């Protein structure tokens, strides 16, 4: 087997900046078509996030940062103050409205705002130096994210012994990050270290991120993967076919409660019932110390059609409503460990989580 790439450098990429444009793989079209969007307007980036052309918490953060850089590049403002005003009043608010649960979105926008404030106040600052600086920051966020995913992979290596059968949910892979992935980064690191690892991907209703995306990117790396429907997980665990569960996260509260794709909580309960370890892999940018516990995490409610229609066909009578929470919250008590770039923490663990943010001495 060739070493898994997972960052798409040679074959494909999640998102990048090219000559004043933001390019991203349109994840709505996978696995049938590998089509790239080439975006030149902030609103196009916002719509791409809203419509899940790009999705997954860290990738949403990268897209938002690129969106701010794009806003600066598209602006006609000649004065620093005018450019800052435009970014503050139009660009950042538009991007903030796209998706509410993944905290990486707000983390990236706050970081871009801080950079803008610092650069705008620097001696000799010009509108052009601000544009250059914002683009450099967006590219740093993207490159850092790829590197952090590899660190997460190394931190989680010992959790995946040779011969492991790993169940995952949604897509927490290269497609959901700058590259390499969080949950799938742990899988990739184990494979790169020579271990035999097989992945079971929950298809992940309603939008099939597991079937369409996880299966696609793992098969591109020749990592063994099979897809099961979400309601098969309990049976497969009961049959002894799952050794561990690894998922990503959209937001982790200060106490270790984890918001992730709807269905994650049910998997955690099942894993607990079968004494199977349940791991959450996420960068520090997914941890929200401002929110004490999972009850405070905003849960995105998405549109009816995502549940009511599949593959162009309507599945239920027009008069019948649907429920469509896009995420759920897994209590910290059901999480065996959170795998971060700074190592593992074992919930419930507010002190251990807070310690991750202390500067290294
Ligand atoms: O609605 P999505 O596809 O953006 O949801 C994505 C997830 O829930 C992922 O598991 C999460 O963002 C972790 S990505 C590394």
């Amino acid at each position: 087997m060739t070493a898994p790439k997972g960052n798409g450098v040679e074959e494909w990429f999640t998102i990048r900046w090219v000559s004043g444009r933001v390019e991203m793989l349109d994840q709505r079209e996978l696995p049938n078509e590998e089509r790239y969007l080439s975006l030149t307007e902030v609103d196009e980036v916002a719509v791409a996030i809203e419509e899940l052309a790009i999705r997954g918490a860290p990738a949403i953060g990268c897209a938002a940062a690129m969106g701010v850089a794009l806003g600066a590049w598209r602006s006609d403002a000649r004065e620093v103050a005018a450019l800052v005003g435009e970014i503050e009043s139009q660009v950042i608010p538009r991007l903030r409205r796209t998706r509410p649960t993944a905290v990486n979105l707000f983390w990236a926008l706050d970081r871009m705002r801080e950079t803008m404030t610092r650069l705008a106040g620097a001696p000799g600052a010009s509108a052009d130096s601000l544009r250059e600086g914002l683009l450099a920051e967006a590219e740093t966020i993207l490159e850092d994210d790829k590197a952090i995913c590899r660190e997460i992979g190394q931190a989680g290596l010992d959790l995946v012994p040779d011969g492991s059968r790993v169940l995952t949910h949604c897509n927490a892979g290269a497609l959901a990050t700058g590259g390499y992935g969080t949950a799938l980064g742990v899988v990739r690191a184990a494979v790169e270290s020579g271990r035999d690892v097989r992945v079971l991907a929950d298809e992940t209703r309603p939008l099939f991120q597991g079937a369409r995306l996880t299966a696609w990117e793992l098969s591109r790396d020749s990592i063994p993967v099979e897809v099961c429907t979400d309601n098969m997980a309990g049976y497969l665990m009961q049959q002894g076919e799952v050794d561990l569960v690894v998922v990503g996260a959209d937001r982790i509260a200060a106490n270790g409660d984890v918001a992730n794709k709807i269905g994650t909580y049910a998997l955690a309960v099942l894993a607990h019932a079968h004494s199977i370890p349940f791991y959450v892999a996420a960068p520090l940018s997914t941890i929200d110390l401002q929110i004490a516990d999972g009850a405070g995490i905003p849960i995105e409610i998405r549109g009816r059609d995502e549940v009511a229609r599949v593959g162009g066909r309507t599945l239920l009578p027009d008069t019948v409503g649907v429920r469509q929470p896009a995420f759920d919250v897994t209590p910290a008590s059901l999480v065996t460990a959170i795998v971060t770039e700074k190592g593992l923490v074992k919930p419930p663990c507010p002190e251990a989580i807070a310690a991750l943010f202390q500067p290294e001495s």
Side-chain angles (χ1 to χ4, degrees), residues 55-58 99 170-172 176-177 182 209 248-250 260-261 327:
R55 31 63 53 203
R99 297 195 73 189
C170 194
N171 171 263
T177 59
T182 54
Q209 287 94 329
D250 283 81
N260 191 48
K261 179 53 57 193
F327 300 95

Side-chain angles (χ1 to χ4, degrees), residues 330-346:
T330 298
S333 58
L334 293 178
V335 177
T336 311
I338 300 173
V339 189
T340 77
E341 66 270 36
K342 294 263 190 84
L344 308 189
V345 282
K346 295 187 192 309

Side-chain angles (χ1 to χ4, degrees), residues 7 57 60 105 123 126 170 202 217 243 257 269 289 292 298 302-303 314:
N7 58 5
I60 291 170
L105 172 77
S126 67
C170 194
D202 260 2
E217 66 165 84
D243 298 307
D257 289 351
V269 172
L289 294 181
R302 292 189 61 88
T314 301

